[in-house]
Amino acid sequence: MKETEALKEKIRQFRDQRDWAQFHNTKDLALALSIEASELLELFLWKAPESADPQKIREELADVLMYALLLADKQGLDITEIIEEKLLLNNKKYPVDKARGTAKKYNEL
Amino acid sequence: MKETEALKEKIRQFRDQRDWAQFHNTKDLALALSIEASELLELFLWKAPESADPQKIREELADVLMYALLLADKQGLDITEIIEEKLLLNNKKYPVDKARGTAKKYNEL
Amino acid sequence: MKETEALKEKIRQFRDQRDWAQFHNTKDLALALSIEASELLELFLWKAPESADPQKIREELADVLMYALLLADKQGLDITEIIEEKLLLNNKKYPVDKARGTAKKYNEL
Amino acid sequence: MKETEALKEKIRQFRDQRDWAQFHNTKDLALALSIEASELLELFLWKAPESADPQKIREELADVLMYALLLADKQGLDITEIIEEKLLLNNKKYPVDKARGTAKKYNEL
């Protein structure tokens, strides 16, 4: 089985043992994902760019990924497929010759 | 190659063609991840739980996953490993007999 | 009239001219506030600490404040009262002798 | 003294007693504001729109407002002025005849 499908299966199992699917509407999964991303961000607050605790980054990033996988699962999305599709879109939004070496947003290029 | 390692490789290639690694310190990657999670969340604003545009969810979720993978890559983390480790931790924080059927946080169980 | 009550009145007027109160349940107001705070944060992405565009900070901060005021209004909260109350709580969480000169969270002091 | 100027003064005093101005660059203040907005949002996670704990809303909203005021203070911004200015801008982005009764974004009107 593909790696991300095996991960989805493990996370679904964790969820179903607790009977949590009833709470997991798509809107609240997006809320949970955003809240976890913010907890990850908090590890960097008031700190220099590379000074956050690596073990905590590991744990918070895992939480972010788990909600991202639950959301993908809920929407029937394949992880590799949506990333490859988005890379193609971003390739048009950020053409190499214009985007090279600049951090500007696509609408400012 | 493992699926998520192949994805990291593709995203690194996209980044390096644009010479963007210079901007990708860990703190700003965490910021970018949080901002993308918020753009995903915005698709649900003022809407009923299952009313967001599926194509837009697909695209915004891909953005979230790409920054999560860049951050994991930067920290040298294996996706399956950190998720399995976190599931073990969550298993202790949310024991099945206490957490079953309730959406309470672990510190309120 | 108190400054923040006058502001609430102006924002309510803007909302009611558009018949938007029907969308403003408390959960979605909290979503909107979080999304606006993230748009403010985006002004700083990939940038040194004091390099964001001051005019854009001005505009995004105003959006954050407007949703904060709408939420306070919805909950019947007085701005000065809740801030003074929270300063008292924070005074206990962060006693001067322990918190002085450190950015640690209260649970790590 | 104007209400929000008096609030800024109280918050500055709390900050200076702890010698925290050294951590408060504008970027990290925007991070803190976004993190607090996310903590407020968490009160609504997995819940119906009006089911969050009112006392906790009160406290988390106060935290959001305090960082918004610190950021305004750092940028030398007057709260009433920036809100009135943004209401004028929003009035053009959301003309009453087009925006009335719809939750669409300005770029979809």
Side-chain angles (χ1 to χ4, degrees):
Chain A
M1 200 194 289
K2 260 170 101 169
E3 185 188 6
T4 59
E5 290 305 317
L7 286 170
K8 283 180 190 170
E9 177 53 34
K10 276 176 191 158
I11 298 166
R12 275 195 304 259
Q13 198 183 320
F14 183 91
R15 177 197 67 193
D16 292 340
Q17 286 169 338
R18 285 156 188 80
D19 195 18
W20 282 352
Q22 60 182 310
F23 307 117
H24 287 194
N25 64 77
T26 316
K27 185 171 183 170
D28 276 298
L29 284 174
L31 247 95
L33 177 53
S34 173
I35 290 162
E36 293 297 344
S38 184
E39 290 184 7
L40 175 60
L41 186 57
E42 193 182 358
L43 304 177
F44 297 88
L45 183 62
W46 318 126
K47 290 188 185 146
E50 306 299 341
S51 312
D53 179 333
Q55 177 57 30
K56 287 185 184 162
I57 294 178
R58 192 183 174 95
E59 293 177 22
E60 296 296 349
L61 185 55
D63 281 333
V64 169
L65 283 160
M66 285 194 285
Y67 281 114
L69 287 166
L70 277 168
L71 197 45
D73 189 49
K74 181 99 183 183
Q75 298 292 106
L77 302 173
D78 176 87
I79 302 301
T80 289
E81 198 178 306
I82 64 171
I83 290 181
E84 290 184 344
E85 187 180 290
K86 196 56 175 28
L87 280 171
L88 286 175
L89 282 173
N90 286 354
N91 205 41
K92 287 180 192 163
K93 278 169 89 173
Y94 294 94
V96 169
D97 60 323
K98 285 194 182 174
R100 195 168 175 82
T102 172
K104 285 185 186 163
K105 264 192 101 164
Y106 67 94
N107 52 12
E108 294 171 346
L109 285 179
Chain B
M1 198 194 292
K2 261 170 100 169
E3 184 188 7
T4 59
E5 290 305 318
L7 286 170
K8 283 180 189 170
E9 177 53 33
K10 277 176 191 157
I11 298 166
R12 275 195 304 260
Q13 198 182 319
F14 183 90
R15 176 197 69 192
D16 292 340
Q17 286 171 339
R18 286 156 187 79
D19 195 20
W20 282 353
Q22 59 182 313
F23 307 117
H24 289 192
N25 64 78
T26 316
K27 184 171 183 169
D28 277 296
L29 285 174
L31 247 95
L33 177 54
S34 173
I35 290 163
E36 294 297 342
S38 184
E39 290 184 7
L40 174 61
L41 185 57
E42 193 182 357
L43 303 177
F44 298 88
L45 184 61
W46 318 126
K47 292 189 182 141
E50 307 298 343
S51 313
D53 178 333
Q55 177 58 29
K56 286 186 184 164
I57 294 178
R58 190 181 176 95
E59 293 177 23
E60 296 296 349
L61 185 56
D63 280 333
V64 169
L65 282 161
M66 285 194 284
Y67 280 114
L69 286 167
L70 276 168
L71 197 47
D73 189 48
K74 180 100 184 183
Q75 297 293 106
L77 302 173
D78 176 88
I79 302 302
T80 290
E81 198 178 308
I82 65 171
I83 289 180
E84 289 185 344
E85 189 182 288
K86 195 56 174 32
L87 281 170
L88 286 176
L89 282 173
N90 286 354
N91 207 40
K92 286 179 193 164
K93 278 169 89 173
Y94 295 95
V96 169
D97 61 323
K98 285 194 181 174
R100 194 169 175 81
T102 170
K104 284 185 187 166
K105 266 192 100 165
Y106 68 94
N107 53 12
E108 294 170 348
L109 285 177
Chain C
M1 200 195 291
K2 260 170 100 168
E3 184 188 7
T4 60
E5 290 304 317
L7 286 170
K8 283 181 190 169
E9 176 54 33
K10 278 176 191 157
I11 299 167
R12 276 195 305 259
Q13 197 183 321
F14 182 90
R15 176 196 69 192
D16 292 340
Q17 286 170 339
R18 285 156 188 80
D19 195 18
W20 282 353
Q22 59 182 312
F23 306 117
H24 288 192
N25 64 76
T26 316
K27 185 171 183 170
D28 277 297
L29 285 174
L31 247 94
L33 176 54
S34 173
I35 290 163
E36 293 296 343
S38 185
E39 290 184 7
L40 175 61
L41 186 56
E42 194 182 356
L43 304 178
F44 298 88
L45 183 62
W46 317 126
K47 292 191 183 140
E50 306 298 341
S51 312
D53 179 333
Q55 177 58 29
K56 287 185 184 163
I57 295 177
R58 190 182 175 97
E59 292 177 23
E60 296 296 349
L61 185 56
D63 280 333
V64 169
L65 283 160
M66 285 194 286
Y67 281 114
L69 287 166
L70 277 167
L71 197 45
D73 189 49
K74 181 100 183 183
Q75 297 292 108
L77 301 173
D78 176 88
I79 302 301
T80 289
E81 197 177 308
I82 65 172
I83 289 181
E84 289 184 344
E85 187 181 290
K86 195 57 174 30
L87 281 170
L88 286 176
L89 282 173
N90 285 354
N91 205 42
K92 286 180 192 165
K93 278 170 88 174
Y94 294 96
V96 169
D97 60 324
K98 285 194 181 174
R100 194 170 176 81
T102 172
K104 284 186 186 163
K105 265 192 100 164
Y106 66 95
N107 52 11
E108 294 170 346
L109 284 179
Chain D
M1 200 194 290
K2 260 169 100 168
E3 184 188 7
T4 60
E5 290 305 317
L7 286 170
K8 283 181 190 169
E9 177 53 33
K10 276 176 191 159
I11 298 166
R12 275 196 304 261
Q13 197 182 320
F14 183 90
R15 176 196 69 192
D16 292 339
Q17 286 170 340
R18 286 156 188 80
D19 195 20
W20 282 353
Q22 60 182 312
F23 306 117
H24 288 192
N25 64 77
T26 316
K27 185 171 183 169
D28 277 297
L29 285 174
L31 248 95
L33 177 53
S34 173
I35 291 162
E36 293 297 344
S38 184
E39 290 184 8
L40 174 60
L41 186 57
E42 194 182 356
L43 304 177
F44 298 88
L45 184 61
W46 318 127
K47 290 186 184 145
E50 307 298 342
S51 314
D53 179 333
Q55 177 58 27
K56 286 186 184 164
I57 295 178
R58 191 182 175 96
E59 292 177 23
E60 296 296 349
L61 185 56
D63 280 333
V64 169
L65 283 160
M66 285 195 283
Y67 280 115
L69 287 167
L70 276 168
L71 197 45
D73 188 48
K74 180 99 183 182
Q75 297 292 107
L77 302 173
D78 176 89
I79 301 303
T80 290
E81 198 178 307
I82 65 172
I83 290 181
E84 290 184 344
E85 188 181 287
K86 196 56 174 34
L87 281 171
L88 287 176
L89 282 173
N90 286 354
N91 206 41
K92 287 179 193 165
K93 278 170 88 173
Y94 294 95
V96 169
D97 60 323
K98 285 194 181 174
R100 194 169 177 82
T102 171
K104 285 187 187 164
K105 264 193 101 166
Y106 65 95
N107 52 11
E108 294 170 346
L109 284 179

